[in-house]
């Protein structure tokens, strides 16, 4: 990284290049959030064991001993809730000596709440014995007074206490212990009832009242855990939808509907019509499997290699670190599954280096945010959205991955040229040879790409996604044995522990999104949005698409990509299909805008995360990232006007659209950055903008 003087026999001091072997280290390190507990000793061992058991349970269930579908999904959510409440606090941490009398009173109140929670759990065991003894159903009074009321009181009160009770970072809050027991009781009851003939009664007047109590407690637990791991945005949107269930009959116009009783709604929302529906189906299979895959890659230090490889390949180009950010964030974001998380993992290295070569702080943060967001649309993995799309549409996953190829190339080409033209306009340099790793050394470790190549090959050879993901995970461990970071038993256990912890956020988010999807399907509000789009399409198809774009971005603001797409796919996509748009085009349209909501002001999670690292103003960073990622707001309209963009058409059509759109993207970048082989005047920018629009239209 530096030049060191060396005295030669000739008497002259010469500078010898000290080329670093690597520049990126720690990219694969686990990010510990500010509200995450850091246990020691037996507590660490306990929760590490729980996380390993949780990941192993999924690997075994998906590959060796499959469980009944609903039971598997209930255990999947319950395990995430128990782990989540054990690892994430509901309030800020306190120093051990700073816990005053109020804290002690809250602890006592929490321990008192353990009694009704444990009593509700005991009732589940008694009910299970009664049902296995031949009883057709449980007395409603027992379900209400001995199970429902104790469970709801313990859950609601413990959630409220957890907002105020501050505990030392290495200690488990007693309020969270109550919530862990409540999660167990709620899931236990549902497992008992859904494995009996009473499962068929859900959503009718004959449904056991206990299902509603368990669903209310389960929904509260999901909402609170989502608040802890993903912020308030998704919780607020969920709360608005839940209020709509009971306030909808009072609303005028197209928003009104006949109404549902509390018992009817909650007895049905914790089924495959809602929380156990498509979002949890995907999180419990594909997403958890690819989180385990990502954890194995992290444990074998592949992330470090990806970033070092990007530095060696692109570091010396003008504005080098920015181009490195594009490649590294695309690779990491593809397997990462969250835009903001990707910003934190790669941005901590690339953003300071971008500032070093001359990018302003807001541009450095914006480029990283735009590149990290692009990782979510990068085939073959595409974060997790591709799996949800396959589940909802029934289109084979391989078709979706192929269709995503040209749009992803266009997006990254756009960001690349935005970066390149800005670097040229400002006269920025690349990194010096002595500042980046030697490409010739890194090429020798190119075998570290093998797990991703094996994944792609297995998918296109016709293996199921689960089998392909499992093979890729196993290959990550095998490949590590010929790398400097060999994975032995301790490393494999560490990867399984990391996967169990990483999965909590996405599972909570998917379950919460399932709650919204349940409201949409049970109240029929999605169909009313469809009729609204149909009415707009009668005036103008473009107006209907613009309206669909606004709703998708609005629903996605402040939400992780997976949840944003799941909700938008339920509300907006059916309306687009009704106005005559192909299902693949409609879902890609919605998916893109759900993804780019992470860089769309005023609520841009990826941009805010980047601003935290760069030190720039968060709003300025989000506006700049919106400008850098501008192509992503145009490309979805191209799907509609040129379906060949999604490989729908002949080879010549696909080639023509790909070439013309790429030229249009280059002209668009030149227009925004006011540079094209030199400075560009205003009238030239207008001509290039017009040219870009015509080229993009194809």
């Amino acid at each position: 990284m530096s030049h060191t003087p060396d005295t030669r026999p000739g008497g002259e001091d010469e500078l010898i290049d000290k080329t670093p072997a690597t520049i990126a280290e720690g990219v694969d390190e686990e990010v510990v959030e500010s509200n995450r507990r850091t246990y020691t000793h037996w507590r660490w061992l306990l929760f590490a064991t729980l996380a390993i058991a949780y990941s192993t349970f999924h690997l075994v269930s998906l590959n060796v001993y499959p469980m009944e579908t609903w039971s598997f999904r209930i255990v999947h959510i319950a395990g995430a809730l128990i782990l989540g409440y054990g690892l994430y606090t509901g309030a800020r941490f306190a120093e051990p000596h700073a816990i005053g009398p109020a804290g002690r009173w809250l602890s006592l109140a929490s321990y008192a709440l353990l009694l009704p929670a444990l009593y509700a759990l005991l009732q589940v065991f008694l009910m299970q014995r009664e049902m296995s003894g031949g009883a057709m159903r449980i007395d409603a009074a027992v379900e209400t007074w001995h199970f429902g009321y104790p469970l709801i009181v313990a859950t609601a009160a413990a959630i409220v206490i957890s907002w105020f009770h501050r505990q030392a970072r290495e200690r488990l809050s007693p309020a969270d212990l109550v919530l862990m027991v409540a999660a167990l009781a709620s899931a236990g009851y549902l497992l008992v009832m859904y494995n009996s003939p009473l499962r068929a009664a859900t959503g009718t007047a004959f449904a056991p009242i206990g299902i509603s109590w368990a669903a209310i407690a389960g929904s509260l637990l999901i909402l609170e855990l989502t608040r802890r791991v993903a912020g308030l945005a998704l919780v607020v949107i969920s709360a608005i939808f839940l209020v709509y269930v009971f306030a909808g009959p009072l609303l005028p116009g197209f928003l009104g509907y006949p109404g549902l009783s509390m018992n009817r709604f909650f007895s049905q929302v914790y089924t495959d019509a809602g929380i156990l529906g498509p979002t949890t189906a995907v999180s419990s299979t594909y997403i958890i499997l690819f989180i385990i895959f990502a954890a194995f890659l992290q444990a074998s230090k592949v992330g470090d290699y990806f970033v070092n490889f990007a530095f060696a390949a692109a570091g010396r180009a003008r504005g080098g670190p920015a181009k490195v950010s594009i490649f590294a964030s695309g690779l990491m974001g593809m397997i990462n599954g969250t835009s903001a998380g990707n910003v934190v993992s790669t941005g901590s290295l690339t953003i300071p280096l971008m500032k070093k070569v001359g990018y302003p702080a807001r541009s450095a943060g914006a480029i990283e945010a735009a590149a990290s967001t692009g990782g979510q649309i990068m085939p073959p993995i595409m974060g997790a959205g591709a799996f949800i799309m396959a589940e909802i549409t029934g289109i084979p996953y391989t078709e979706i991955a192929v269709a995503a190829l040209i749009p992803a190339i266009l997006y990254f080409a756009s960001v690349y040229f935005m970066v390149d033209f800005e670097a040229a306009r400002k006269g920025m340099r690349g990194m010096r040879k002595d500042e980046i790793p030697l490409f010739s050394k890194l090429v020798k470790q190119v075998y570290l790409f093998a797990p991703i190549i094996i994944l792609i090959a297995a998918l296109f050879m016709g293996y199921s996604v689960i089998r392909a993901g499992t093979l890729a995970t196993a290959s990550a461990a095998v490949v590590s044995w010929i790398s400097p970071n060999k994975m032995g038993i301790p490393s494999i256990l560490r990867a399984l522990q990391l996967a169990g912890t990483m999965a909590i956020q996405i599972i909570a988010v998917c379950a919460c999104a399932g709650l919204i999807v349940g409201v949409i399907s049970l109240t029929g509000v999605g169909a009313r949005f469809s009729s609204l789009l149909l009415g707009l399409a009668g005036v103008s198809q473009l107006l209907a698409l613009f309206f669909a774009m606004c709703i998708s971005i609005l629903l996605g603001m402040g939400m992780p990509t997976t949840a944003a797409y799941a909700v938008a796919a339920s509300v907006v996509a059916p309306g687009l299909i009704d106005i005559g748009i192909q299902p693949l085009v409609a879902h890609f349209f919605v998916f893109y805008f759900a993804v780019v909501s992470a860089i769309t002001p005023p609520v841009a999670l990826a941009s805010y995360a980047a601003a935290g690292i760069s030190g720039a103003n968060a709003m300025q960073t989000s506006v700049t990232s919106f400008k850098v990622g501008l192509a992503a707001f145009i490309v979805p309209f191209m799907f509609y006007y040129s379906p060949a963009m999604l490989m729908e058409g002949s080879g010549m059509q696909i080639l023509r659209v790909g070439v013309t759109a790429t030229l249009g993207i280059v002209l668009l970048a030149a227009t925004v950055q006011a540079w094209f082989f030199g400075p560009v005047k205003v009238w030239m920018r207008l001509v290039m903008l017009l040219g870009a629009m015509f080229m993009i239209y194809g």
Side-chain angles (χ1 to χ4, degrees):
M1 294 284 291
S2 61
H3 288 96
T4 310
D6 178 40
T7 306
R8 297 292 175 110
E12 292 182 354
D13 287 344
E14 294 182 4
L15 296 177
I16 295 179
D17 287 340
K18 294 283 187 181
T19 306
T22 60
I23 186 171
E25 288 181 6
V27 172
D28 293 298
E29 294 301 316
E30 185 181 3
V31 177
V32 179
E33 298 86 348
S34 59
N35 68 332
R36 178 105 151 258
R37 296 186 174 98
T38 49
Y39 292 119
T40 54
H41 308 307
W42 67 269
R43 291 185 185 88
W44 178 87
L45 188 62
L46 172 65
F47 281 97
T49 305
L50 284 174
I52 291 166
Y54 186 65
S55 298
T56 307
F57 158 75
H58 284 91
L59 282 175
V60 171
S61 295
L62 292 172
N63 290 286
V64 186
Y65 296 112
M67 279 179 73
E68 192 278 325
T69 306
W70 282 20
S71 299
F72 175 59
R73 294 176 192 175
I74 290 166
V75 173
H76 167 74
I77 293 172
L81 290 172
I82 291 165
L83 262 179
Y85 283 114
L87 293 174
Y88 291 89
T89 184
R92 288 179 298 161
F93 291 113
E95 297 299 325
H97 60 272
I99 300 170
R104 284 190 281 276
W105 278 108
L106 288 172
S107 289
L108 285 172
S110 301
Y111 284 122
L113 288 171
L114 259 179
L115 295 174
L118 288 168
Y119 184 70
L121 183 60
L122 174 64
Q123 291 303 314
V124 171
F125 285 109
L126 296 176
M127 290 177 198
Q128 198 276 331
R129 281 178 57 187
E130 200 171 328
M131 295 292 285
S132 60
M136 293 302 294
R137 63 187 301 133
I138 307 297
D139 182 55
V142 172
E143 287 189 312
T144 299
W145 290 96
H146 294 273
F147 170 73
Y149 287 168
L151 179 63
I152 297 298
V153 167
T155 303
I159 286 172
V160 173
I161 288 173
S162 74
W163 296 341
F164 303 101
H165 188 207
R166 296 179 63 190
Q167 184 65 280
R169 189 161 192 164
E170 66 279 0
R171 300 286 298 266
L172 174 64
S173 165
D176 288 341
L177 182 60
V178 174
L179 296 174
M180 292 163 76
V181 174
L184 204 56
S186 172
Y189 176 89
L190 293 171
L191 285 170
V192 169
M193 290 302 159
Y194 286 163
N195 283 293
S196 76
L198 291 170
R199 168 169 163 173
T202 55
T204 70
F206 304 103
I209 188 68
I211 291 179
S212 296
W213 295 123
I216 291 169
S219 300
L220 287 172
L221 290 164
I222 288 165
L223 287 167
E224 170 59 12
L225 184 60
T226 303
R227 181 191 72 81
R228 295 186 187 191
V229 298
L232 265 174
L234 182 54
V235 176
V236 169
I237 291 171
S238 303
I240 291 168
F241 273 91
L242 284 171
V243 168
Y244 173 73
V245 172
F246 306 107
L250 307 174
L251 296 175
F254 83 101
L255 284 174
Y257 86 106
L260 287 167
S261 68
M262 190 181 81
N263 187 31
R264 184 126 182 229
F265 171 74
F266 278 107
S267 72
Q268 205 168 353
V269 79
Y270 219 115
T271 68
D272 59 2
I275 292 169
L276 302 182
T279 54
T280 297
V282 173
S283 76
S284 63
T285 50
Y286 309 140
I287 291 177
I288 187 75
L289 189 61
F290 279 92
I291 286 172
I292 294 170
F293 175 50
F296 269 72
L297 289 180
Q298 279 187 239
S300 57
K301 301 291 182 189
V302 169
D304 282 352
Y305 177 74
F306 281 175
V307 178
N308 282 313
F309 190 87
F311 269 107
R316 295 194 70 187
R318 62 188 177 201
K323 290 170 183 174
V324 168
S325 168
I326 296 167
F327 292 122
S329 298
L331 287 168
M332 291 292 287
M334 176 178 65
I335 61 172
N336 192 294
T338 158
S339 305
N342 192 14
V343 167
V344 172
S345 62
T346 57
S348 53
L349 179 69
T350 58
I351 289 173
L353 286 169
M354 279 190 260
K355 289 167 70 177
K356 186 178 173 184
V357 298
Y359 283 96
R362 71 170 182 274
S363 288
I367 291 163
E368 178 58 48
S372 293
T373 299
Q376 308 294 290
I377 56 175
M378 181 80 165
I381 301 173
M382 298 166 64
F387 305 122
I388 294 184
M389 196 184 295
E391 185 74 21
I392 292 172
T393 61
I395 297 167
Y397 167 79
T398 46
E399 276 186 39
I400 290 169
V402 169
L405 194 59
I406 293 176
I409 291 169
L410 289 178
Y411 179 81
F412 280 101
S414 166
V415 176
Y416 181 90
F417 285 112
M418 289 275 190
V419 163
D420 188 58
F421 292 157
E422 183 178 3
R425 180 165 52 84
K426 293 183 176 176
M428 293 179 194
R429 68 173 179 88
M431 298 174 75
R432 294 191 307 272
K433 186 179 178 181
D434 63 306
E435 290 179 318
I436 59 174
L438 276 176
F439 191 76
S440 57
K441 288 183 180 177
L442 288 169
V443 159
K444 292 174 184 172
Q445 285 182 273
V446 78
Y447 55 79
L448 288 171
F449 281 100
I452 291 175
I453 293 166
I454 287 169
L455 171 68
I456 297 167
L459 286 169
F460 284 93
M461 284 168 64
Y463 285 87
S464 69
V465 176
I466 289 171
R467 185 54 50 88
T470 306
L471 283 172
T473 303
S475 71
V478 172
V479 165
S480 75
W481 298 340
I482 55 172
S483 80
N485 301 291
K486 296 175 178 61
M487 288 184 72
I489 298 298
S491 295
I492 289 171
L493 291 175
R494 172 70 184 137
L496 290 170
Q497 181 206 347
L498 183 61
T501 308
M502 285 164 58
I504 293 167
Q505 182 192 40
I506 199 79
I507 293 166
V509 159
C510 284
C512 197
L515 190 60
I516 298 172
V517 170
V519 173
I520 292 165
S521 62
L522 296 174
T523 61
V525 70
R528 283 185 284 284
F529 269 106
S530 295
S531 65
L532 184 66
L533 283 176
L534 204 57
L536 282 170
V539 180
S540 164
Q541 291 260 349
L542 184 62
L543 187 64
L545 287 169
F546 181 78
F547 187 68
M549 174 190 80
C550 293
I551 297 173
S552 300
I553 291 173
L554 192 66
L555 289 172
M557 280 187 178
M559 285 165 59
T561 306
T562 315
Y565 168 64
V567 174
S570 300
V571 176
V572 183
L576 293 177
I577 293 166
D578 286 347
I579 66 175
I581 296 173
Q582 297 172 39
L584 183 67
V585 174
H587 278 272
F588 258 102
F589 186 91
V590 167
F591 176 59
Y592 254 65
F593 287 116
V595 167
V596 298
S597 64
I599 55 169
T600 308
V603 184
L605 286 186
S607 303
Y608 290 175
I613 298 169
S614 69
N617 176 277
M619 189 52 68
Q620 286 180 347
T621 303
S622 64
V623 170
T624 309
S625 59
F626 171 80
K627 186 175 80 171
V628 171
L630 191 61
F633 296 86
I634 297 170
V635 167
F637 288 93
M638 295 156 67
F639 302 158
Y640 173 69
Y641 290 109
S642 304
M645 189 74 66
L646 297 176
M647 304 289 187
E648 300 273 314
S650 68
M652 280 307 296
Q653 285 176 317
I654 292 166
L655 181 64
R656 179 177 61 82
V657 166
V659 171
T660 57
T662 303
L663 291 171
I665 289 294
V666 173
L667 288 174
L668 183 67
T671 305
V672 172
Q673 297 294 7
W675 182 276
F676 197 59
F677 300 110
V680 172
K681 294 183 173 65
V682 174
W683 69 267
M684 293 178 179
R685 292 175 78 181
L686 288 172
V687 171
M688 285 196 298
L689 179 62
L690 195 64
M693 291 298 113
F694 279 114
M695 294 297 269
I696 286 169
Y697 181 76

